[in-house]
Amino acid sequence: HTPQNTRFMRPFLVSHARLSVVLALVSLLLVSCMGNMASDESKVDGKLKPGQYKHTIGPMFEKVLKKSEAKTSDKRETAIFAAGCFWGVELAFQRLPGVVKTRVGYIGGKVDNPTYQQVCTGTTGHAEAVEVVFDPTVVSYAELLDVFWERHDPTTLNRQGNDRGTQYRSGIFTTNEAQAKLAEESRTAYNNNLISAVVTEITPATKFYPAEDYHQAYLQKGGQSADKGNMDKIRCYG
C-alpha cells in the first residue's frame, strides 16, 4: 500500500532525480572545458608563451632534474648564463644532477672588478650571470640550455619581471666554438616555438668576475634546498 502523499510526490522525485543527473553532466563538461582551457593557456596559435615556467618547474627543467648521477667522470666543462637576478638562476642550476659547482658574478662589462653597487647603476655594462661547472657525461650543454630557456623570459630586453636594467639582460656567454654552435641552434629552435621574438645575446665569454660572498648560494643560505633533483618551487627574494 502506498500512502497518497508519496504517490503524488513521485513525479516530483523523478524530475528532481533527472535534474540532478543533468546538472552533474553539465558540471563535468565545465570542468573538462576549464581543464582544456588551462592546458591551452600556455600556448597561442600553437606557440608557447615566453617565461611561463620561470616561477615553477617546467617540463624541460623537470626532465633534467630527474637525471641520474650513478655514473660520473672527472671531465669538467664551464657554461655561463645570464637570465635576470642571479640568485634564483643559480639555485636552479645547483639542483641539476651533473652540475659540480656554481658561482654568481658579473660578465660582459667594461670595468675591472666591478662591485654589485656599480653593476646596479647600469653603467659598467655587466650582466648578472651564473658560472656553471658541470660533468658532461651526466648533463649535456644542450640540457643546460633547455633549463636556461625555461627558467626566464628571453623575449624581454634588459628586464626580468620587475627587475629592469642592462644587468638583467638575457645572455649566453660561450667558452668554446662547440658551445657557440649549440647555443645558436638552440636559440633558433626556441625562438621558432615562441609567440614573441627572443632577444638573448650570444657572445664569447669575457672575464667573469665573481660577485661578493654574500651573493654566493644566496637562496640556499636562506633555507631553500639545493639538493640534486629537488623540485620545490624556487622563491627569489631580497
Side-chain angles (χ1 to χ4, degrees):
H1 179 72
T2 303
Q4 187 175 14
N5 61 337
T6 303
R7 189 167 61 248
F8 288 142
M9 287 291 290
R10 276 180 178 174
F12 171 76
L13 291 173
V14 172
S15 298
H16 185 268
R18 287 174 178 171
L19 179 61
S20 297
V21 171
V22 171
L23 288 175
L25 289 172
V26 170
S27 178
L28 286 172
L29 286 172
L30 285 173
V31 169
S32 176
C33 289
M34 291 300 291
N36 289 334
M37 287 174 63
S39 64
D40 290 338
E41 282 181 355
S42 63
K43 291 189 175 183
V44 175
D45 295 330
K47 292 195 173 185
L48 293 171
K49 293 180 180 179
Q52 61 178 306
Y53 296 118
K54 66 181 182 179
H55 296 304
T56 185
I57 305 296
M60 293 189 291
F61 189 22
E62 181 177 350
K63 182 179 179 181
V64 182
L65 283 171
K66 289 181 176 179
K67 291 180 71 70
S68 171
E69 279 192 314
K71 294 183 179 180
T72 61
S73 75
D74 294 329
K75 293 182 179 180
R76 298 289 182 267
E77 292 185 21
T78 301
I80 303 174
F81 302 105
C85 175
F86 46 29
W87 294 340
V89 181
E90 182 184 30
L91 185 57
F93 283 109
Q94 281 180 288
R95 291 178 174 180
L96 297 184
V99 169
V100 179
K101 182 174 66 174
T102 63
R103 59 178 182 170
V104 298
Y106 317 111
I107 194 170
K110 57 190 178 183
V111 175
D112 292 337
N113 299 306
T115 65
Y116 180 67
Q117 286 72 23
Q118 287 176 313
V119 172
C120 283
T121 66
T123 59
T124 71
H126 292 88
E128 290 193 14
V130 180
E131 181 184 69
V132 181
V133 178
F134 64 102
D135 180 348
T137 68
V138 178
V139 62
S140 69
Y141 184 69
E143 289 172 320
L144 296 183
L145 285 168
D146 286 343
V147 174
F148 164 77
W149 293 121
E150 202 169 72
R151 287 300 304 172
H152 79 302
D153 185 347
T155 69
T156 51
L157 185 63
N158 300 328
R159 177 171 66 86
Q160 287 298 310
N162 294 324
D163 293 331
R164 298 171 183 268
T166 56
Q167 69 271 30
Y168 298 117
R169 66 186 182 272
S170 174
I172 302 171
F173 301 89
T174 59
T175 59
N176 55 51
E177 290 184 6
Q179 285 190 3
K181 184 175 184 297
L182 283 171
E184 292 285 357
E185 292 172 349
S186 179
R187 180 175 62 181
T188 299
Y190 198 67
N191 185 65
N192 290 340
N193 200 34
L194 290 180
I195 61 173
S196 306
V198 169
V199 296
T200 303
E201 67 176 88
I202 299 175
T203 185
T206 53
K207 187 174 178 59
F208 179 88
Y209 294 97
E212 295 81 352
D213 286 344
Y214 69 90
H215 284 300
Q216 305 299 332
Y218 186 88
L219 297 185
Q220 182 184 13
K221 292 174 184 174
Q224 296 189 53
S225 174
D227 292 345
K228 299 302 182 187
N230 186 286
M231 293 192 186
D232 292 344
K233 180 180 178 181
I234 294 175
R235 306 178 309 280
C236 196
Y237 45 79

